[in-house]
Amino acid sequence: GENVGLHLPTLSVQEGDNSIINCAYSNSASDYFIWYKQESGKGPQFIIDIRSNMDKRQGQRVTVLLNKTVKHLSLQIAATQPGDSAVYFCAEKGGGTSYGKLTFGQGTILTVHP
Amino acid sequence: GAGVSQSPSNKVTEKGKDVELRCDPISGHTALYWYRQRLGQGLEFLIYFQGNSAPDKSGLPSDRFSAERTGESVSTLTIQRTQQEDSAVYLCASSSGQLMAQHFGDGTRLSIL
């Protein structure tokens, strides 16, 4: 079946550094991707999304890159802050009859050291 | 409220009991989703409601699980004859359409003794 996974389960960075979190997906029919941030005891918080007809999208301090050729998604966080420490999930929505349900990866733990 | 609201936030019950979890989506959101998150893992899709269409129940793990939604508002997820493996956080999300971001509540943490 389809699978969305992450290359690195943990990432530690210093405050002020840029962070890159990677995600591989296997469903070439997926048409929509989202990055979520989840803090302990909270639900996932939307960060940024991208549709399959785009390869890059920028938000405030965050950029998502989509490489459909190799089925790879990444989240770049600029000037990482201690408040960015959390678990980050990528999620994909399959195309066709998959409606709106999302398939989530296992998550990457980001730790930002002051 | 401004966000998705779920209740209760925590539920502890004995094996074999039935539980009912509630989700109030963001006002105006036509799509509503339920997911399950086991400790240290990603989210597993359970069920999806979109307007008046038949719900997508493909993620429900067994016939002990069911969900209802009243129009485009409140949804309840019911688990009958709970088992210990049902222990997890149950998360609800809503969105304004299929290709729109899903916004999550903080979940119900369910513990089966």
Side-chain angles (χ1 to χ4, degrees):
Chain A
E2 287 77 26
N3 181 52
V4 177
L6 296 172
H7 292 165
L8 299 173
T10 61
L11 178 63
S12 293
V13 300
Q14 291 296 127
E15 181 177 3
D17 286 352
N18 296 331
S19 301
I20 300 176
I21 301 172
N22 296 300
C23 178
Y25 65 95
S26 59
N27 184 1
S28 57
S30 291
D31 58 5
Y32 182 58
F33 304 86
I34 308 179
W35 280 100
Y36 286 96
K37 171 187 180 184
Q38 187 174 29
E39 296 172 294
S40 181
K42 300 278 190 177
Q45 175 188 355
F46 171 83
I47 301 173
I48 192 167
D49 59 359
I50 189 167
R51 300 190 183 192
S52 58
N53 61 353
M54 304 172 67
D55 54 19
K56 180 179 180 179
R57 190 161 188 229
Q58 289 184 295
Q60 185 176 12
R61 283 201 306 119
V62 294
T63 301
V64 56
L65 298 177
L66 175 63
N67 185 330
K68 294 181 288 293
T69 302
V70 295
K71 290 183 283 190
H72 184 267
L73 191 70
S74 68
L75 176 70
Q76 301 178 359
I77 305 174
T80 317
Q81 302 167 1
D84 294 328
S85 295
V87 180
Y88 288 80
F89 293 96
C90 64
E92 62 169 331
K93 188 192 82 64
T97 60
S98 297
Y99 304 106
K101 67 181 180 182
L102 296 174
T103 301
F104 282 77
Q106 291 301 303
T108 291
I109 301 171
L110 175 65
T111 303
V112 183
H113 300 283
Chain B
V4 176
S5 177
Q6 291 187 246
S7 61
S9 55
N10 286 282
K11 176 72 176 178
V12 181
T13 193
E14 293 179 344
K15 175 182 173 181
K17 300 286 188 183
D18 297 351
V19 295
E20 192 172 274
L21 312 180
R22 177 186 170 105
C23 173
D24 284 274
I26 293 171
S27 178
H29 279 193
T30 58
L32 185 147
Y33 312 79
W34 284 98
Y35 293 86
R36 177 171 68 180
Q37 185 175 29
R38 292 199 163 104
L39 185 64
Q41 297 188 20
L43 281 68
E44 303 170 68
F45 168 78
L46 296 177
I47 188 169
Y48 159 66
F49 296 90
Q50 168 66 48
N52 295 320
S53 301
D56 177 354
K57 304 180 181 181
S58 62
L60 294 178
S62 77
D63 59 7
R64 295 187 296 105
F65 288 72
S66 62
E68 294 184 348
R69 187 181 187 194
T70 307
E72 293 186 351
S73 61
V74 171
S75 175
T76 55
L77 176 69
T78 301
I79 308 174
Q80 296 177 309
R81 305 180 302 281
T82 52
Q83 303 294 314
Q84 288 187 330
E85 63 264 27
D86 299 334
S87 295
V89 177
Y90 289 82
L91 289 154
C92 175
S94 69
S95 74
S96 56
Q98 288 191 25
L99 285 182
M100 302 304 291
Q102 296 179 22
H103 297 273
F104 285 83
D106 286 336
T108 295
R109 184 174 301 276
L110 178 63
S111 300
I112 309 300
L113 302 178

